[in-house]
Amino acid sequence: MENGAIRVVSRAFSILVHLAQERRPLGISEIAESVALPKATVYRILDSLVGERAVMNRGGEYELGPVCLMLADAYRSQTGFAEAARPHLRALRDETKETVHLFAYERGEFYYLDKLESPYQVRMHSRIGAKASLFRLSAGRALLARLSPDEMKELPEPLPGEVASEFPEILSRGFAVDDEQNERGLRCVGAAVFDGSGRPLGAVSVSAPVYRFSSEMVDSYGLLVKRTAEAISKSAETLFPRAGGGERLRAERAGKMKERISSGGAPDER
Amino acid sequence: MENGAIRVVSRAFSILVHLAQERRPLGISEIAESVALPKATVYRILDSLVGERAVMNRGGEYELGPVCLMLADAYRSQTGFAEAARPHLRALRDETKETVHLFAYERGEFYYLDKLESPYQVRMHSRIGAKASLFRLSAGRALLARLSPDEMKELPEPLPGEVASEFPEILSRGFAVDDEQNERGLRCVGAAVFDGSGRPLGAVSVSAPVYRFSSEMVDSYGLLVKRTAEAISKSAETLFPRAGGGERLRAERAGKMKERISSGGAPDER
DNA sequence: GAAAAAAAATCCATGGAGCGAAACGAAAAT
DNA sequence: ATTTTCGTTTCGCTCCATGGATTTTTTTTC
């Protein structure tokens, strides 16, 4: 699954990801150097991506194109989770005036799913869609603490002992705390989110610089985060009706296959 | 640029776009049939895409993955335009209680960039990132009416006479109207957005079913849309400081190249 | 619960698709 | 005017992607 991959495809994505990281228009030579490929190769791949509207060519410089938006829009509506969480995240952000994050958990993977930013100038930075650390972030540890033994086995790396030792406290409080362990000067509280059948969906967190988020405030923000996570779990229950682990859901989906195929595509695209 | 493209790359994107359109987990056989490729080929491409986290394999069924979010997040911050427009769009949506759209214009291309939805059950549907029609939508015609002759030349299709004949009215009112011409029962008003140097950035529109958006309301909603477009243009001015078409910006960016390269990548990704 | 059917995953010989060094022309920089 | 840099094009070689066939797994049917 890693080296069985098609070479051009991974090359194309390494270019896309590089464009995403730089966040500015780049020339071919520059890209070629960064991704360590010959110019001609980069040129051809970029040309193909332009044809797919995944990148745009703006006067010799390249940047990401609107297809990226289309894919993300579909991704969000397909999970549903992010949309359901939005109003709760907004309430949490407005109450704390700090940056709040939504994380998704998927078979051992953990990543930033959504964020709402603090109005202050100094605030935490993050990249939606990027991988997040289950061990280092408060949101990650809050989730880990409530995983079943079966779910633990899916983790790509073994659980460090010092993380596991925090579980009892996390479970009793209902949220996890990160007191500058991940980054000096940054304090976070996080709580886990589950669906109706108890499957872990992800987590929520509030992050702020210590001078705005004192240790005395940990309990109050922690309670807010915990309540928000519970509220999101509640809305998720209606989204993913109680079911036996997902098998039933899969069967339902499969049943819809034929009718959907014959219904035809959208009129506006391609 | 169309047939000089790399075959696997366009195949990979046709699969991604298909997944985006279906908006549900799909099996290999089903995808293979839809995109008209052998199963083995689809399997290999999907496998590569999973390796890039562009799709996820959820028990034999495939759906879009978090990298899509990452690319879209970068796309949005790279244009800046969408972010700057957000608060104005929200005000417009809250005042009208109807779905508002933001469109981007880019060298003859026009597409949905953002939307905020009406709280009502019955509301317009659209796909962020998908192409939009410059000729049929009110937002498109509002933009066309204010393009310079040079910019007109970039249009992929010639301007229909009946569209051009509306320009004087659009210019005098400051917004364009679509009275069920695009779709029966749907009424829209749209206005164009420009940056500090007069370059067209896109357009804004309000869309609603005719029974909530009567012909008597066209002038009031039209005025709101016009004002919103002006406000967005104003904020865009500060984003893209008055400059001679962009050459200066390009030079500035180029200067930052070396320092950025040597600064290394983000610690959290890949 | 066994048999049948369908789908996913794997294998492999083959051809052409993708590759990249090099050359070219255009545009900046000096 | 000269040099450097960058984007684009060419072209012959090679190895990579291909897809038909096979095996394995899952689902359905009886």
Side-chain angles (χ1 to χ4, degrees), chain B residues 226-237:
Chain B
K226 182 190 160 202
R227 293 230 176 103
T228 303
E230 285 165 355
I232 298 175
S233 296
K234 197 109 185 169
S235 2
E237 266 182 50

Side-chain angles (χ1 to χ4, degrees), chain B:
Chain B
M1 191 188 283
E2 184 59 20
N3 28 3
I6 296 171
R7 194 174 50 169
V8 222
V9 172
S10 28
R11 286 177 171 183
F13 271 88
S14 76
I15 290 174
L16 284 174
V17 168
H18 182 71
L19 283 171
Q21 283 177 171
E22 291 294 324
R23 306 203 158 204
R24 66 200 167 93
L26 296 176
I28 288 198
S29 307
E30 199 179 353
I31 298 172
E33 196 185 357
S34 302
V35 301
L37 286 174
K39 279 205 295 187
T41 302
V42 170
Y43 177 83
R44 224 171 323 104
I45 293 174
L46 278 171
D47 211 39
S48 306
L49 292 173
V50 167
E52 304 296 332
R53 305 205 312 138
V55 311
M56 293 185 298
N57 183 347
R58 235 172 139 145
E61 297 196 305
Y62 294 84
E63 54 185 37
L64 294 173
V67 157
C68 301
L69 284 182
M70 191 175 77
L71 296 177
D73 193 47
Y75 174 84
R76 294 175 130 271
S77 84
Q78 124 195 307
T79 65
F81 171 40
E83 269 175 88
R86 258 278 161 128
H88 301 110
L89 292 179
R90 181 163 300 133
L92 181 63
R93 194 269 313 267
D94 291 347
E95 193 149 4
T96 60
K97 298 263 193 300
E98 298 295 351
T99 298
V100 303
H101 278 104
L102 181 68
F103 298 84
Y105 176 81
E106 181 77 44
R107 327 187 116 245
E109 281 220 344
F110 196 56
Y111 51 88
Y112 294 95
L113 182 59
D114 201 358
K115 75 175 154 192
L116 286 170
E117 298 206 307
S118 159
Y120 297 111
Q121 296 271 8
V122 175
R123 60 196 192 202
M124 191 193 162
H125 269 269
S126 58
R127 297 258 155 105
I128 300 305
K131 276 188 202 165
S133 165
L134 274 167
F135 302 144
R136 277 160 41 212
L137 305 179
S138 62
R141 292 202 295 263
L143 188 87
L144 286 173
R146 294 182 57 184
L147 288 188
S148 70
D150 274 358
E151 287 159 348
M152 285 283 186
K153 285 174 195 153
E154 291 185 334
L155 297 180
E157 295 172 67
L159 192 70
E162 77 248 34
V163 172
S165 67
E166 280 188 40
F167 288 176
E169 196 189 344
I170 294 172
L171 291 173
S172 74
R173 296 175 102 173
F175 60 89
V177 185
D178 168 19
D179 269 327
E180 308 190 58
Q181 287 124 333
N182 185 36
E183 183 176 317
R184 202 170 114 68
L186 184 69
R187 181 169 280 136
C188 311
V189 287
V193 176
F194 295 82
D195 74 359
S197 61
R199 200 168 58 90
L201 290 178
V204 204
S205 73
V206 174
S207 315
V210 289
Y211 61 82
R212 284 206 308 266
F213 186 177
S214 66
S215 53
E216 288 81 41
M217 296 161 71
V218 163
D219 280 334
S220 72
Y221 277 14
L223 188 61
L224 284 175
V225 154
K226 182 190 160 202
R227 293 230 176 103
T228 303
E230 285 165 355
I232 298 175
S233 296
K234 197 109 185 169
S235 2
E237 266 182 50
T238 67
L239 264 181
F240 310 102
R242 191 171 304 272
E247 271 61 39
R248 224 194 80 216
L249 284 166
R250 276 190 60 198
E252 276 176 27
R253 285 195 198 106
K256 291 185 188 166
M257 277 172 24
K258 267 105 192 189
E259 42 171 317
R260 290 255 196 155
I261 283 183
S262 55
S263 74
D268 215 4
E269 323 203 14
R270 273 258 112 190

Side-chain angles (χ1 to χ4, degrees), chain A residues 28 43-62 270, chain B residues 1-7 9-10 107 109 131:
Chain A
I28 289 202
Y43 176 82
R44 225 173 320 105
I45 292 174
L46 277 171
D47 212 38
S48 306
L49 293 174
V50 167
E52 304 296 330
R53 304 204 313 137
V55 311
M56 293 185 297
N57 183 346
R58 234 171 139 148
E61 298 195 305
Y62 293 83
R270 273 262 111 189
Chain B
M1 191 188 283
E2 184 59 20
N3 28 3
I6 296 171
R7 194 174 50 169
V9 172
S10 28
R107 327 187 116 245
E109 281 220 344
K131 276 188 202 165

Side-chain angles (χ1 to χ4, degrees), chain A:
Chain A
M1 191 188 281
E2 183 60 18
N3 29 3
I6 295 171
R7 195 175 48 173
V8 220
V9 173
S10 30
R11 285 176 170 183
F13 271 87
S14 75
I15 290 174
L16 284 174
V17 168
H18 181 70
L19 284 172
Q21 283 177 172
E22 290 295 324
R23 306 204 159 204
R24 68 199 166 94
L26 297 176
I28 289 202
S29 306
E30 200 178 352
I31 298 172
E33 195 185 357
S34 301
V35 299
L37 286 174
K39 276 202 305 184
T41 303
V42 171
Y43 176 82
R44 225 173 320 105
I45 292 174
L46 277 171
D47 212 38
S48 306
L49 293 174
V50 167
E52 304 296 330
R53 304 204 313 137
V55 311
M56 293 185 297
N57 183 346
R58 234 171 139 148
E61 298 195 305
Y62 293 83
E63 53 185 39
L64 294 173
V67 157
C68 301
L69 285 181
M70 190 175 78
L71 297 177
D73 194 47
Y75 174 84
R76 295 175 130 269
S77 84
Q78 124 195 309
T79 65
F81 171 40
E83 269 175 89
R86 258 280 160 128
H88 302 110
L89 291 180
R90 181 162 300 132
L92 182 62
R93 195 268 314 264
D94 291 346
E95 194 148 3
T96 60
K97 299 266 192 302
E98 297 296 350
T99 298
V100 304
H101 277 105
L102 182 68
F103 298 83
Y105 175 81
E106 180 78 43
R107 327 185 118 247
E109 282 221 344
F110 197 55
Y111 51 87
Y112 293 95
L113 182 59
D114 202 358
K115 74 174 154 193
L116 287 169
E117 299 205 307
S118 159
Y120 297 111
Q121 296 271 7
V122 175
R123 58 197 195 203
M124 191 192 164
H125 270 267
S126 59
R127 296 258 155 106
I128 300 305
K131 275 188 200 163
S133 164
L134 273 168
F135 302 144
R136 277 160 40 210
L137 305 179
S138 63
R141 292 203 295 263
L143 188 86
L144 287 172
R146 295 182 56 184
L147 288 188
S148 70
D150 274 358
E151 287 159 349
M152 286 283 185
K153 286 175 194 151
E154 291 184 334
L155 297 181
E157 294 171 68
L159 190 69
E162 77 248 33
V163 173
S165 66
E166 281 189 38
F167 288 176
E169 195 190 343
I170 293 172
L171 290 172
S172 75
R173 297 175 104 174
F175 59 90
V177 186
D178 167 18
D179 269 326
E180 310 191 58
Q181 286 124 335
N182 185 35
E183 182 175 318
R184 200 170 116 67
L186 185 69
R187 182 170 279 135
C188 311
V189 287
V193 176
F194 295 83
D195 73 359
S197 59
R199 199 168 58 90
L201 290 178
V204 205
S205 73
V206 174
S207 317
V210 289
Y211 60 82
R212 284 206 306 267
F213 186 177
S214 65
S215 52
E216 288 80 41
M217 295 161 72
V218 164
D219 279 335
S220 71
Y221 276 14
L223 188 61
L224 285 175
V225 155
K226 183 189 160 201
R227 292 231 176 103
T228 302
E230 284 165 358
I232 299 175
S233 296
K234 195 111 187 168
S235 358
E237 265 182 48
T238 67
L239 265 181
F240 311 102
R242 194 170 302 272
E247 273 62 38
R248 224 194 79 215
L249 284 167
R250 276 194 60 200
E252 276 177 26
R253 285 195 199 105
K256 289 186 188 166
M257 277 171 27
K258 265 104 192 192
E259 41 171 317
R260 290 256 194 152
I261 282 185
S262 54
S263 74
D268 215 5
E269 325 207 13
R270 273 262 111 189

